[in-house]
Amino acid sequence: QEQCLNAITEYSTRGRRALVALPTGTGKTVIFAHLPRMFPGKRMLVLAHREELLDQAAAKIRDANPSLSVGIEQADRHAPLDAQVIVASIQTFAVSPGRLSHHDPGSFSVVVVDEAHHATAPTYRKVLAYFGLMPEQDPILPAGATTEERRDLSARAFAAFKPDSTAPLLVGFTATPSRTDGGGLEWVFDAIVFARNITEMMRAGWLCRIRGQKIATGISLKGVHT
């Protein structure tokens, strides 16, 4: 975890969009809970897509930073405008632009995306564009374009886009840095700054070894679709 934090800090001197790939159980939430200490002076935003992830992140951040105010933006929960750390539901910000616009992008030093393999979704692209971390989609995707044309225009726009040096640092955390639908995370993140796989973590003693068990039953799943 310390090595990862050091890698993020080092990368921040030369880039703005970093990805961390670590297996489940290695403390990704604990790692980004310590980022406010590494980048003091401005605020931090954490984006997640499930309520349990929001609450878990907020609790870990409070534990690591007892002096910081931490607020949650989700449904009927509103973070104070002066909260130093905001943990937000990506759905809430995406469907309620007014709530997003209450927060000045210039007041943030770090934007964290938890479960970052989801970051190519339109909801994330919309919010990250607000912070100057991705190109705006509407101007580059004409309404009459075919799917192939839209994909080509998007690819060229993403390839050409570079965040301004004043943009907040984007750090994504995921256990699965490759997507099965072909959507490239390189559209969102410029570099994997720290990575460990599950085998490495097991051999180092940080994760228990996998054991498989087969259970024989008389239950028939014939006709079960899901």
Side-chain angles (χ1 to χ4, degrees):
Q1 293 168 356
E2 290 176 353
Q3 291 172 1
C4 181
L5 285 167
N6 290 336
I8 293 169
T9 304
E10 190 277 329
Y11 175 79
S12 70
T13 64
R14 53 187 172 85
R16 307 313 302 153
R17 304 188 298 182
L19 183 66
V20 172
L22 286 171
T24 300
T26 52
K28 292 185 290 294
T29 307
V30 173
I31 292 171
F32 68 69
H34 286 274
L35 286 177
R37 294 184 184 180
M38 316 296 284
F39 301 94
K42 287 189 175 183
R43 309 160 76 197
M44 182 170 86
L45 171 66
V46 178
L47 298 171
H49 70 291
R50 295 203 311 270
E51 183 174 5
E52 59 268 29
L53 294 176
L54 300 177
D55 292 326
Q56 173 183 294
K60 294 292 185 185
I61 293 168
R62 289 188 183 105
D63 287 345
N65 309 273
S67 64
L68 296 185
S69 58
V70 181
I72 294 179
E73 281 278 356
Q74 184 222 13
D76 58 352
R77 296 193 284 182
H78 294 258
L81 292 179
D82 60 350
Q84 292 157 297
V85 179
I86 296 176
V87 183
S89 161
I90 186 64
Q91 292 90 345
T92 295
F93 271 176
V95 303
S96 303
R99 290 177 69 165
L100 177 61
S101 64
H102 286 160
H103 303 287
D104 175 17
S107 68
F108 290 85
S109 59
V110 181
V111 174
V112 170
V113 177
D114 197 8
E115 303 288 326
H117 47 280
H118 295 294
T120 59
T123 49
Y124 283 92
R125 296 205 304 261
K126 182 177 181 180
V127 173
L128 293 177
Y130 176 77
F131 286 92
L133 293 164
M134 297 187 73
E136 295 283 351
Q137 288 298 286
D138 291 341
I140 64 172
L141 295 180
T146 66
T147 300
E148 186 173 340
E149 288 172 336
R150 290 166 66 88
R151 185 176 298 153
D152 181 59
L153 285 168
S154 289
R156 281 188 281 165
F158 281 115
F161 179 81
K162 296 298 178 186
D164 190 81
S165 61
T166 59
L169 175 68
L170 172 64
V171 188
F173 289 82
T174 182
T176 52
S178 60
R179 291 170 56 94
T180 56
D181 65 357
L185 290 179
E186 69 273 10
W187 281 10
V188 187
F189 302 99
D190 294 321
I192 297 178
V193 298
F194 192 82
R196 296 289 185 271
N197 61 44
I198 192 169
T199 304
E200 290 173 320
M201 299 305 283
M202 286 192 298
R203 286 174 177 166
W206 295 108
L207 293 178
C208 64
R209 293 189 174 275
I210 295 173
R211 291 182 298 170
Q213 292 181 311
K214 182 169 71 172
I215 301 173
T217 75
I219 296 173
S220 171
L221 298 180
K222 184 179 180 181
V224 176
H225 298 291
T226 302

